[in-house]
């Protein structure tokens, strides 16, 4: 645990680092080393790198809050915490180091003891990281100052006239371009007052000191106008740059219209793409303030610099255009279209256009074209004089014309009578005046045999960006098709009602069969019970002939009870009342089930070889074992009935990663292709004239029940057979069990109770 004494020492160590000349990385390393020595934990710090970030670190960075796990285990929230646990650590804490409102770095603490980092300790450590954050911020600002100084040295050597002046306005230094402007030497300019060279006024000078651009004019008859911008180099020194705007006055008036535009802005640049002037709406178009761009090199802000250089070189032969991605700071880029051309003032004019409007327009145009193409209504585009320009596919289908055959013809040709044609032209005139007109009844003329097509129409006027009428859109809804669709919809509704009625009747039939079959179980049980008493002599002596008759009653009672049981199963399956009770089940153990062993003895009694084979890689499967035994009993029993010589084998194999395949194979008489198609239908029985020994006929329900049970498990069932060569019934089962649907899971308790009631 972290105590107050240790925390105090760590705080003094942090303050002691303030006076040392350490880089940011050295500062972080020293802090982590002190942290580890003081508290006996492993500590490491990393600056934020979004391309190599762990989930726990990302959580801490995004929330700017610490994250602690004092009981590392295999169930910890983050994978890296599980790795720490496996490496012997039992406590972990992730702390953010926040600099200027964002997570600059993270500190990771690891301990081999549980409950090492309590809430008070973490809060105290966060105070320490705040102090550390201030120290890092100070170093960042120092590094920025060095960068600014380097940038200033480079900028001072540019073609833009520049001065260094003190707070009193006295010139300290002038660059070469300023000396050329006044045809003076450095000795002649240095020491002079700023106001001796430029007319700027007291307010203008105060604006410059505050960082606000001001207008300045040279003195004399050949005066030139400049836009002056200033930056504080130190408390007593001001750096002023002068951008010649003499020739821009007329241009400014002409470009005032851009002030309110959010789509196009204008820049003036020299040959090196240094921006000398920017229109007022630059921030709307490019998310950049004009004052922040003037004096900067545009090519330095462009992501693909080489491509932009090619565009600049392209203005030698006229106008050049290029799509550029502009860095506006903070990792934000703006996609723009740049149009470059030469001007007589500084060299290059640049119009920046926001692609948003163009892209949105193209997207809307594509969507509109696609909507028109897919529309089931007829859509015809006509020009302002009423001549056909284009039409959609539905128009071709409804009227029978091909687009290339009627383009350029008057649209009135598509109407049946002279009166209809005149009405169409009047509708165009009304749409021209009112913009739109709806619910016009018209009869159009089809190509084939002059077929008449009644329809309702809507007409819309189309204008260009200058407000000039360019044509009309005529949308026609075919009434015959609408009537046919309405009739089809009515038939569909009637069909749905009929299906619902049939389903309801089917449910009633199923319920009736279920109730009757269930009610038959009691009297048949009584018949068998009393017959058994008679057969055993419990109700008095009977002779051998009478015992034979009684034995027939008992056997037929058993057969009838089996039939009722199968009918009940079918009814319950049809009504959805049979629900599974899945559990982990071994196929090897299923082979030891008494029902399977009994069938094995029956097969042996017929001289058949019976085998149960489960592959080594088949493990437990999530199934209802009782229902799967029912499947095996039906399939093996059928195989035994239809096989007089040879063998019966059950083979269980793995099928891919998610399922098993079960085969019940016999060497019996086989099944014809025709019978195979009907085999799983209810009450269908295979014709068995090929059998040498005729057996009692079945119910024809066993295989339909088998199929339903396999389907309930989410599996599939099928058969491969050939007459005279035996049969192989196969089915598949998912290993993990069939996933329960929401409704099934919700009703599971009720279904289980229903099954238990049926068993009782």
């Amino acid at each position: 645990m972290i105590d107050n004494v240790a925390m105090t020492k760590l705080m003094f160590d942090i303050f002691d680092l303030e006076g040392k000349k350490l880089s940011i990385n050295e500062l972080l390393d020293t802090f982590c080393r002190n942290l580890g020595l003081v508290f006996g934990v492993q500590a490491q710090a990393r600056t934020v790198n979004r391309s190599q970030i762990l989930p726990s670190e990302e959580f801490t960075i995004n929330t700017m809050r610490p994250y602690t796990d004092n009981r590392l285990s295999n169930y910890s929230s983050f994978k890296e915490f599980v790795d720490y646990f496996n490496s012997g650590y039992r406590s972990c804490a992730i702390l953010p180091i926040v600099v200027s409102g964002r997570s600059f770095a993270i500190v990771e603490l690891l301990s081999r003891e549980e409950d090492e980092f309590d809430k008070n300790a973490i809060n105290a450590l966060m105070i320490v990281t705040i102090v550390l954050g201030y120290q890092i911020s100070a170093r960042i600002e120092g590094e920025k100052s060095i960068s600014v100084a380097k940038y200033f040295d480079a900028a001072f050597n540019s073609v833009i006239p520049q001065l260094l002046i003190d707070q009193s306005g006295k010139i300290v230094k002038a660059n070469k371009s300023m000396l050329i402007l006044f045809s003076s030497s450095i000795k002649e300019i240095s020491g002079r007052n700023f106001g001796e060279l430029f007319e700027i006024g007291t307010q203008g000078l105060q604006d410059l000191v505050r960082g606000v651009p001001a207008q300045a004019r040279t003195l004399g008859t050949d005066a030139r106008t400049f836009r002056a911008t200033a930056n504080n180099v130190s408390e007593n020194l001001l750096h002023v740059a002068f951008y010649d705007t003499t020739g821009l006055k007329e241009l400014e008036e002409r470009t005032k219209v851009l002030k309110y535009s959010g789509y196009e802005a204008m820049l003036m640049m020299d040959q090196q793409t240094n921006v000398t002037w920017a229109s007022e709406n630059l921030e709307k178009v490019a998310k950049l303030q004009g004052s922040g761009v003037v004096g900067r090199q545009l090519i330095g802000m462009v992501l693909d610099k080489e491509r932009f250089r090619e565009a600049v070189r392209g203005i030698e032969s006229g106008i050049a255009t290029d799509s550029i991605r502009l860095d506006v700071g903070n990792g934000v880029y703006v996609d723009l279209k740049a149009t470059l051309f030469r001007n007589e003032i500084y060299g290059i004019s640049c119009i920046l256009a926001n692609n948003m409007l163009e892209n949105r327009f193209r997207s809307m145009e594509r969507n509109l074209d696609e909507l028109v193409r897919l529309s089931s209504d007829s859509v015809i585009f006509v020009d302002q004089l009423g001549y056909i320009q284009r039409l959609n596919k539905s128009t071709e289908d409804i009227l029978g014309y091909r687009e290339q055959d009627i383009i350029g013809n008057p649209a009135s040709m598509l109407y049946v009578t002279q009166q209809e044609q005149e009405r169409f032209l009047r509708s165009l005139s009304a749409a021209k005046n009112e913009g739109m007109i709806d619910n016009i009844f018209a009869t159009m003329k089809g190509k084939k045999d002059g077929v008449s097509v009644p329809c309702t129409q809507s007409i819309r006027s189309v204008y260009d960006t200058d407000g000039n009428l360019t044509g009309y859109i005529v949308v026609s809804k075919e009434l015959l098709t609408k009537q046919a669709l309405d009739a089809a919809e009515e038939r569909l509704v009637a069909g749905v009602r009929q299906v619902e009625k049939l389903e309801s009747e089917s449910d009633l039939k199923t319920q009736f069969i279920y109730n009757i079959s269930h009610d038959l179980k009691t009297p048949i049980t009584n018949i068998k019970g009393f017959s058994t008493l008679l057969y055993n002599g419990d109700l008095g002596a009977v002779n051998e002939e009478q015992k034979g008759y009684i034995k027939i009653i008992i056997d037929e009672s058993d057969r009838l009870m089996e039939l009722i049981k199968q009918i009940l199963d079918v009814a319950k399956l049809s009504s959805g009342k049979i629900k599974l009770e899945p559990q982990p089940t071994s196929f090897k153990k299923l082979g030891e089930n008494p029902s399977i062993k009994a069938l094995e003895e029956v097969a042996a009694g017929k001289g058949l070889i019976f085998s149960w084979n489960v592959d080594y890689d088949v493990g437990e499967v999530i199934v209802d074992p009782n229902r799967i035994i029912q499947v095996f009993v039906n399939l093996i029993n059928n195989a035994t009935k239809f096989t007089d010589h040879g063998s019966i084998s059950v083979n269980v194999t793995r099928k891919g990663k998610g399922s098993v395949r079960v085969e019940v194979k016999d060497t019996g008489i086989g099944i014809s292709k025709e019978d195979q198609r009907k085999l799983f239908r209810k009450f269908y029985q295979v014709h068995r004239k090929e059998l040498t020994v005729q057996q009692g006929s079945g119910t024809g329900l066993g295989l339909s029940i088998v199929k339903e049970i396999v389907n309930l498990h989410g599996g599939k069932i099928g058969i491969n057979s050939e007459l005279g060569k035996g049969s192989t019934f196969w089915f598949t089962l998912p290993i993990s069990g069939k996933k329960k649907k929401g409704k099934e899971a919700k009703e599971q308790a009720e279904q289980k109770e229903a099954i238990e009631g049926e068993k009782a």
Side-chain angles (χ1 to χ4, degrees):
M1 301 293 287
I2 300 175
D3 57 32
N4 292 332
V5 176
M7 190 65 66
T8 303
K9 182 180 185 310
L10 179 64
M11 184 67 77
F12 278 111
D13 289 340
I14 290 296
F15 284 123
D16 187 52
L17 294 175
E18 176 68 27
K20 296 183 179 180
K21 294 182 178 180
L22 299 176
S23 67
I24 293 174
N25 288 333
E26 289 172 340
L27 183 64
L28 290 173
D29 291 342
T30 304
F31 169 69
C32 289
R33 187 164 53 252
N34 292 345
L35 189 59
L37 292 174
V38 171
F39 300 116
V41 297
Q42 179 177 323
Q44 58 179 350
R46 291 188 293 276
T47 56
V48 172
N49 184 347
R50 289 286 181 181
S51 63
Q52 299 175 353
I53 189 170
L54 297 174
S56 59
E57 298 174 350
E58 185 172 19
F59 172 84
T60 304
I61 290 166
N62 291 337
T63 62
M64 291 192 289
R65 294 188 303 177
Y67 186 87
T68 306
D69 189 338
N70 278 311
R71 297 292 178 91
L72 293 176
S73 68
N74 285 322
Y75 303 100
S76 291
S77 301
F78 301 105
K79 180 182 179 299
E80 56 268 28
F81 283 13
V82 176
D83 295 337
Y84 297 154
F85 172 74
N86 293 330
S87 299
Y89 295 104
R90 295 297 176 263
S91 298
C92 178
I94 309 291
L95 308 179
I97 298 178
V98 180
V99 177
S100 300
R102 67 181 182 91
S103 296
F104 175 80
I106 60 100
V107 176
E108 183 180 69
L109 307 176
L110 293 170
S111 174
R112 298 187 182 276
E113 301 294 332
E114 291 185 346
D115 299 318
E116 184 68 25
F117 308 109
D118 60 25
K119 184 177 181 180
N120 292 332
I122 293 300
N123 290 338
L125 285 174
M126 281 300 296
I127 295 174
V128 177
T129 60
I130 291 172
V131 176
L132 184 64
Y134 283 123
Q135 293 193 18
I136 292 173
S137 180
R139 283 164 171 76
I140 291 174
E141 291 301 323
E143 292 175 359
K144 283 184 180 178
S145 298
I146 295 173
S147 299
V148 169
K150 292 179 180 178
Y151 172 79
F152 174 76
D153 289 340
F156 206 68
N157 293 323
S158 74
V159 296
I160 299 172
Q162 298 173 61
L163 292 174
L164 286 179
I165 62 175
D166 60 21
Q167 284 191 337
S168 64
K170 186 175 293 185
I171 298 173
V172 177
K173 188 176 181 181
N175 72 345
K176 185 176 180 181
S177 297
M178 181 64 74
L179 299 178
I180 294 173
L181 177 63
F182 288 98
S183 302
S184 303
S185 65
I186 188 65
K187 290 183 178 179
E188 293 173 330
I189 286 183
S190 296
R192 295 177 64 181
N193 191 280
F194 177 68
E196 296 178 31
L197 301 179
F198 292 95
E199 181 184 342
I200 190 171
T202 305
Q203 183 61 45
L205 188 58
Q206 291 176 354
D207 287 343
L208 287 179
V209 172
R210 291 188 293 109
V212 178
Q215 181 174 296
R217 289 172 57 86
T218 56
L219 303 176
T221 56
D222 192 16
R224 300 190 64 81
T225 303
F226 291 85
R227 183 175 183 269
T229 62
N231 293 294
N232 288 310
V233 178
S234 65
E235 292 183 1
N236 299 316
L237 206 58
L238 199 66
H239 169 228
V240 186
F242 298 87
Y243 302 95
D244 196 338
T245 60
T246 306
L248 291 178
K249 290 299 180 182
E250 182 180 352
L251 181 62
E252 283 184 7
E253 292 298 325
R254 293 180 180 181
T255 57
K256 276 184 179 178
V257 69
L258 294 175
K259 177 178 180 180
Y260 303 103
S261 173
Y263 302 108
E264 290 183 332
M266 190 169 184
L267 302 177
M268 290 290 189
M269 304 183 296
D270 62 16
Q271 299 294 340
Q272 287 73 40
T273 73
N274 293 299
V275 180
T276 56
W277 176 87
S279 60
E280 293 183 41
N281 66 327
L282 182 63
E283 186 173 4
K284 291 183 182 179
V285 176
K287 307 297 185 294
L288 282 169
Q289 291 186 353
S291 59
V293 176
V294 173
R296 296 179 64 183
Q297 195 177 37
L298 185 63
I299 197 170
M301 303 168 63
V302 175
L303 187 62
D304 191 344
K305 295 177 174 52
E306 188 55 40
R307 178 175 168 177
F308 189 67
R309 286 193 184 94
E310 287 294 326
V312 171
R313 286 193 285 267
I315 64 176
E316 297 294 337
S317 56
I319 297 175
T321 59
D322 186 27
S323 294
I324 64 173
R325 175 163 284 189
L326 204 63
D327 183 359
V328 298
N330 298 322
V332 177
Y333 291 88
V334 177
D335 292 321
L336 301 167
K337 182 178 180 181
T339 302
L340 305 169
F341 53 91
R342 291 209 169 275
N343 64 58
E344 297 179 358
I345 302 173
Y346 282 115
I348 302 174
S349 294
C350 175
I351 297 176
L352 295 177
N354 193 322
N355 286 339
M356 184 185 303
L357 183 62
E358 183 178 353
N359 293 339
R360 187 175 298 173
F361 176 77
R362 287 178 179 174
S363 176
M364 291 174 62
E365 190 175 34
R366 286 194 300 269
N367 292 338
L368 178 61
D369 288 343
E370 187 68 9
L371 181 63
V372 169
R373 186 182 69 82
L374 297 176
S375 174
S376 59
D377 296 332
S378 165
V379 182
I380 302 174
F381 294 84
V382 301
D383 63 17
Q384 64 269 37
L385 298 177
Y387 287 85
I388 299 171
Q389 292 181 313
R390 59 191 177 101
L391 45 89
N392 69 343
K393 182 68 168 54
S394 293
T395 305
E396 294 181 342
D397 295 338
I398 294 170
L399 300 180
Y401 298 99
R402 291 187 304 173
E403 185 178 42
Q404 57 266 33
D405 294 337
I406 60 173
I407 284 181
N409 290 310
S412 58
M413 66 167 281
L414 299 176
Y415 294 85
V416 174
T417 64
Q418 179 70 28
Q419 185 179 3
E420 290 275 358
Q421 294 174 3
E422 292 175 356
R423 185 192 302 169
F424 169 70
L425 295 175
R426 287 197 300 271
S427 298
L428 290 186
S429 298
K432 178 179 180 181
N433 296 327
E434 299 177 17
M436 65 182 72
I437 185 169
D438 293 319
N439 299 322
I440 313 165
F441 179 79
T443 304
M444 302 186 76
K445 181 171 59 178
K447 180 179 181 182
K448 186 177 180 181
D449 301 326
V451 174
S452 297
V453 181
C455 58
T456 57
Q457 291 183 336
S458 298
I459 301 177
R460 296 289 187 274
S461 301
V462 180
Y463 299 89
D464 62 17
T465 54
D466 296 325
N468 300 316
L469 179 69
T470 60
Y472 306 91
I473 299 176
V474 181
V475 181
S476 305
K477 185 178 291 291
E478 184 191 4
L479 293 179
L480 292 178
T481 301
K482 184 178 184 302
Q483 292 168 1
L485 288 174
D486 291 342
E489 185 177 0
E490 289 179 3
R491 290 195 297 272
L492 178 61
V493 171
V496 170
R497 290 173 180 168
Q498 183 66 20
V499 169
E500 291 175 348
K501 180 180 178 182
L502 291 174
E503 287 179 348
S504 177
E505 291 176 355
S506 176
D507 290 342
L508 288 174
K509 290 177 182 178
T510 300
Q511 187 63 37
F512 176 76
I513 292 172
Y514 177 81
N515 293 338
I516 291 298
S517 301
H518 198 277
D519 291 342
L520 286 173
K521 290 173 68 176
T522 300
I524 293 173
T525 301
N526 292 336
I527 291 171
K528 180 182 177 181
F530 286 116
S531 299
T532 303
L533 292 175
L534 285 171
Y535 185 83
N536 294 333
D538 295 335
L539 301 178
V542 292
N543 58 39
E544 290 302 320
E545 183 180 0
Q546 291 171 330
K547 288 184 69 173
Y549 293 141
I550 295 171
K551 182 65 166 66
I552 292 173
I553 294 174
I554 294 172
D555 291 342
E556 290 303 315
S557 296
D558 287 338
R559 183 169 173 270
L560 188 56
M561 185 64 76
E562 182 63 27
L563 174 61
I564 290 172
K565 181 181 177 182
Q566 290 188 345
I567 291 175
L568 280 171
D569 277 348
V570 169
K572 286 186 284 186
L573 286 166
S574 298
S575 63
K577 288 188 176 181
I578 285 187
K579 300 302 175 184
L580 304 179
E581 296 181 2
Q583 56 184 281
T585 304
S586 166
F587 278 100
K588 291 182 179 179
K589 290 183 179 179
L590 287 181
E592 302 297 325
N593 187 277
S595 298
I596 303 297
K597 289 299 181 182
L599 291 171
E600 184 177 350
E601 292 178 5
V602 173
K606 290 187 66 174
L608 303 175
I609 299 172
F610 183 88
S611 62
W612 185 280
N613 309 300
V614 181
D615 276 6
Y616 72 94
D617 57 347
V618 177
E620 289 187 333
V621 179
I622 307 299
V623 296
D624 185 333
N626 294 324
R627 293 298 175 183
I628 297 301
I629 286 294
Q630 188 177 357
V631 171
F632 278 122
V633 167
N634 273 285
L635 295 180
I636 297 172
N637 190 40
N638 282 349
T640 305
K641 287 181 181 180
F642 286 81
T643 305
D644 290 335
H645 307 285
S647 63
I648 297 172
S649 62
V650 177
N651 305 301
V652 186
T653 58
R654 187 74 175 262
K655 184 176 182 291
K657 294 182 179 181
S659 62
V660 295
R661 179 184 173 96
V662 181
E663 294 181 351
V664 178
K665 187 174 183 181
D666 64 59
T667 57
I669 62 175
I671 303 173
S672 68
K673 296 295 183 184
E674 182 180 355
D675 283 332
Q676 288 180 39
R677 290 193 293 269
K678 307 174 184 177
L679 200 58
F680 294 101
R681 296 179 183 175
K682 295 182 181 71
F683 301 105
Y684 183 78
Q685 293 179 279
V686 175
H687 184 52
R688 299 185 294 168
K689 65 181 181 180
E690 297 88 349
L691 288 175
T692 57
V693 179
Q694 295 298 323
Q695 302 176 22
S697 60
T699 63
L701 294 173
L703 289 179
S704 66
I705 292 173
V706 165
K707 182 178 180 180
E708 291 289 349
I709 293 173
V710 172
N711 288 342
L712 277 175
H713 280 84
K716 296 180 180 180
I717 190 168
I719 179 175
N720 301 320
S721 183
E722 187 176 345
L723 284 174
K725 295 186 179 180
S727 303
T728 300
F729 283 85
W730 60 265
F731 62 91
T732 62
L733 295 171
I735 292 175
S736 59
K738 184 180 180 182
K739 292 183 179 178
K740 295 177 181 176
K741 298 180 181 178
K743 184 176 180 181
E744 181 182 342
K746 194 173 182 180
E747 298 176 353
Q748 186 178 23
E750 180 182 343
Q751 295 162 353
K752 185 174 181 181
E753 182 180 346
I755 293 173
E756 290 175 352
E758 291 161 11
K759 289 182 179 178

